Amino acid sequence: MLDTKFIVENPDIVKKAAEVKNIKCDVDQIVELYNAINMLKAEYETYLAKKNEISKKIPSATNEERPALIAESKEAGEKAKELSEHLEQKEIVLKDLLARVPQIPADNVPFGKSDADNVVIKTVGEKHIFDFEPKSHYDLLIENDWADFEKVAQVAGPRSHALKGVMARLEIAVHMFVMDKLTDNGFTIVSVPAICKPESVMAAGHFPGNDLTIMKDDVYQLGDTGRSLAGTSEITLNALHAGEILKEDDLPILYAGYSSCFRKEAGSAGKDTRGLIRVHQFTKVEQFVICKGTEEESAKWHAKLLSIIEEVMTDLELPYQVIEACTGDMGFNKIRMHDVEAWVPSEEKYRELGSCSTIHDFQARRTNTRYRESGTNKVKFVHTLNNTGIATPRALAPLIENHQTKDGNVRIPEKLRPYMQNKEFLK
RNA sequence: GGAUGGGUGGCCGAGCGGUCGAAGGCGCACGCUUGGAAAGCGUGUGUAGGUGGAAGCCUACCGGGGGUUCGAAUCCCUUCCCAUCCGCCA
């Protein structure tokens, strides 16, 4: 959500933002409606004021005066009610239009239409040179009986997986490892529900508009409960301080969200159907920051979140690259986004393991999360940022592929060994 | 799922049809005091929208929605949330 006044005063900036993000929104209609509503509201409030004024006189009026006053007040009230019905209709339309306005990308974000236009800004780590034909993570898992896909698909449907034995342990280990790292960096681990209300989903601002059906392709709905399964704990964490006015001293709030995540993947039929890369249910440690609403704070935390996931990549000894998402690929609610992608030998390409985003006050406006600035005592919107900490099972794919040995074993990176009974190899 | 009690400003909490944006306290800001701090004293202090050069004025908001009334924080209905007890349960 953007500030309505900002939209009305800067329609060209907003139109440009929608254009570079390939998002349709009707800025002109917003401006028009806004002005119309203001005019109507002025009239409506005049009647209300009149009604209130007369009502106030009634207690002290004489019995003779009273009936006339009551009638007069009633009339003003009825006029006001009539106008308020028109107002309400217009406001609903405006609210919906406003919710379709995307966040404005930062100035230095590369322009582009799709992920093909993203820019690689950094490549780190040597790709492992194998003196044998490296296996895909899928083959490694099957050959070692570390996972089941076929049977579990019959039970749970396609894009399902079960990790077994030491692989299940490895999954837990990487989460523990990342949670410890985040704790060391001042984050508080929060294990949050994946069940959430649709309002929370909308408040996270991944989807345009207020129309909840928009998200039906992406988000699982829990039947007649009216609730959804979150695609990320960002949704829950973002709403965790909704409606609050925090103290400046409370900030920054650093959360390491831990939860199951659910995605319908309706738009990715046929893609990554085998293995652990793209599944309907996964587990993620999410980095989430609520900070003071300034550019500097946001920029600082963006850099910090990115550095943490880079450190995770380094500690897991994964070759990776950092890309800067272009305007067309960055998503509705973001100002800036960097993806971290790990090298997957069997595919001979980098695959996204994390996505670091500066949201600015876009989510804060939707949740109405604010803080009181010390000194001025002014109430301001917070800024939010998020980045993946680690997401499994996807992260396990590059992890076991990069560290596989000729005999089909997998070497455990040193930093991970304390979480894996100090073993050097998986088997 | 059943029963009961609650949801009021940044926080706590009074009010339970008109004089209520709402006592009191805490917190916070500014000032005095002090060598400095604390304490103390004084003053100020909700959010949002509209209007105006400004002071100001108007409107809305006492969990959400609806209703009764000339008038609702206060009465009624409904819904959500919280607490406790009972039931069920990993």
Side-chain angles (χ1 to χ4, degrees):
Chain A
M1 193 84 105
L2 295 181
D3 179 22
T4 310
K5 263 192 196 160
F6 178 88
I7 298 172
V8 170
E9 283 164 14
N10 304 279
D12 292 337
I13 295 175
V14 178
K15 282 181 195 171
K16 182 87 202 297
E19 191 194 319
V20 299
K21 279 193 166 181
N22 295 324
I23 286 158
K24 279 189 198 136
C25 70
D26 194 338
V27 179
D28 291 332
Q29 204 193 337
I30 288 173
V31 175
E32 206 174 288
L33 252 180
Y34 175 83
N35 290 327
I37 284 172
N38 270 349
M39 280 177 64
L40 244 182
K41 206 181 239 174
E43 197 185 348
Y44 161 70
E45 286 181 356
T46 307
Y47 282 113
L48 270 188
K50 189 177 170 194
K51 183 194 78 170
N52 289 342
E53 195 195 330
I54 300 164
S55 287
K56 238 179 244 176
K57 286 185 193 158
I58 289 173
S60 58
T62 63
N63 285 339
E64 293 77 60
E65 293 167 333
R66 197 161 284 152
L69 287 173
I70 288 173
E72 213 180 324
S73 174
K74 202 170 186 173
E75 196 193 323
E78 275 159 12
K79 281 249 173 73
K81 193 168 187 181
E82 214 174 284
L83 289 169
S84 82
E85 277 157 20
H86 293 167
L87 252 180
E88 214 174 304
Q89 284 174 13
K90 286 190 195 296
E91 276 171 344
I92 289 167
V93 177
L94 179 65
K95 202 177 155 204
D96 183 65
L97 288 170
L98 287 171
R100 290 171 196 280
V101 177
Q103 176 63 296
I104 299 164
D107 288 341
N108 49 1
V109 167
F111 170 78
K113 286 197 179 326
S114 73
D115 57 358
D117 301 314
N118 292 342
V119 180
V120 177
I121 58 169
K122 194 176 182 184
T123 304
V124 182
E126 293 290 312
K127 288 174 197 162
H128 298 252
I129 303 191
F130 297 97
D131 55 1
F132 57 94
E133 184 67 27
K135 290 173 177 161
S136 71
H137 72 279
Y138 184 84
D139 288 340
L140 281 166
L141 292 168
I142 297 300
E143 282 168 25
N144 287 298
D145 194 26
W146 283 336
D148 175 86
F149 293 98
E150 285 185 14
K151 190 70 192 175
V152 90
Q154 289 175 27
V155 178
R159 290 198 193 284
S160 301
H161 65 284
L163 300 179
K164 298 166 78 175
V166 72
M167 194 52 52
R169 183 180 287 277
L170 184 67
E171 177 179 43
I172 295 165
V174 295
H175 286 293
M176 288 294 291
F177 163 70
V178 172
M179 282 195 259
D180 276 357
K181 187 181 287 296
L182 288 173
T183 304
D184 291 344
N185 279 284
F187 286 71
T188 302
I189 301 170
V190 198
S191 172
V192 295
I195 295 175
C196 56
K197 297 185 182 178
E199 301 95 271
S200 307
V201 178
M202 297 317 285
H206 298 117
F207 306 104
N210 285 316
D211 181 2
L212 299 178
T213 59
I214 283 172
M215 63 185 193
K216 74 179 189 305
D217 284 350
D218 299 280
V219 180
Y220 282 103
Q221 304 302 326
L222 290 173
D224 60 2
T225 64
R227 284 186 269 177
S228 313
L229 288 175
T232 162
S233 62
E234 175 192 348
I235 288 166
T236 310
L237 296 171
N238 174 242
L240 221 46
H241 295 281
E244 295 183 14
I245 299 179
L246 302 158
K247 292 195 190 100
E248 185 172 325
D249 290 349
D250 297 336
L251 303 174
I253 294 171
L254 311 177
Y255 286 137
Y258 176 73
S259 78
S260 294
C261 304
F262 299 86
R263 299 198 183 165
K264 284 177 87 172
E265 300 288 357
S268 35
K271 266 196 257 175
D272 308 314
T273 49
R274 252 159 84 98
L276 301 180
I277 296 288
R278 196 181 294 274
V279 294
H280 288 306
Q281 175 177 353
F282 58 98
T283 308
K284 180 153 63 85
V285 176
E286 175 85 348
Q287 311 180 54
F288 192 85
V289 173
I290 301 172
C291 70
K292 280 189 277 189
T294 68
E295 305 295 335
E296 304 78 62
E297 278 287 300
S298 264
K300 185 181 101 186
W301 284 107
H302 188 98
K304 180 65 183 172
L305 297 190
L306 195 54
S307 78
I308 288 172
I309 194 170
E310 287 196 55
E311 201 180 291
V312 170
M313 292 297 122
T314 304
D315 288 351
L316 295 180
E317 299 172 34
L318 294 174
Y320 69 93
Q321 64 180 22
V322 180
I323 64 146
E324 167 135 35
C326 71
T327 54
D329 191 44
M330 69 171 14
F332 184 71
N333 61 353
K334 299 164 205 257
I335 272 193
R336 183 192 313 286
M337 173 170 115
H338 287 98
D339 282 355
V340 167
E341 303 179 331
W343 178 250
V344 177
S346 69
E347 296 188 19
E348 295 192 319
K349 59 183 180 193
Y350 288 95
R351 298 300 306 249
E352 180 188 326
L353 285 198
S355 187
C356 184
S357 304
T358 296
I359 306 293
H360 210 269
D361 60 8
F362 198 78
Q363 291 178 331
R365 284 180 186 280
R366 289 191 168 205
T367 55
N368 202 24
T369 306
R370 296 170 295 172
Y371 70 103
R372 194 177 299 278
E373 193 176 60
S374 43
T376 65
N377 256 8
K378 283 203 169 133
V379 176
K380 298 192 164 176
F381 285 105
V382 298
H383 280 190
T384 57
L385 300 98
N386 64 83
N387 188 12
T388 313
I390 190 100
T392 61
R394 182 182 282 186
L396 300 178
L399 187 64
I400 64 173
E401 285 195 19
N402 280 291
H403 300 310
Q404 63 181 296
T405 59
K406 197 171 186 173
D407 58 355
N409 204 342
V410 171
R411 190 182 67 83
I412 302 169
E414 229 163 284
K415 291 275 172 73
L416 211 49
R417 288 182 198 163
Y419 302 90
M420 289 297 287
Q421 300 170 310
N422 292 310
K423 286 184 183 156
E424 200 183 338
F425 292 94
L426 278 188
K427 62 173 186 186

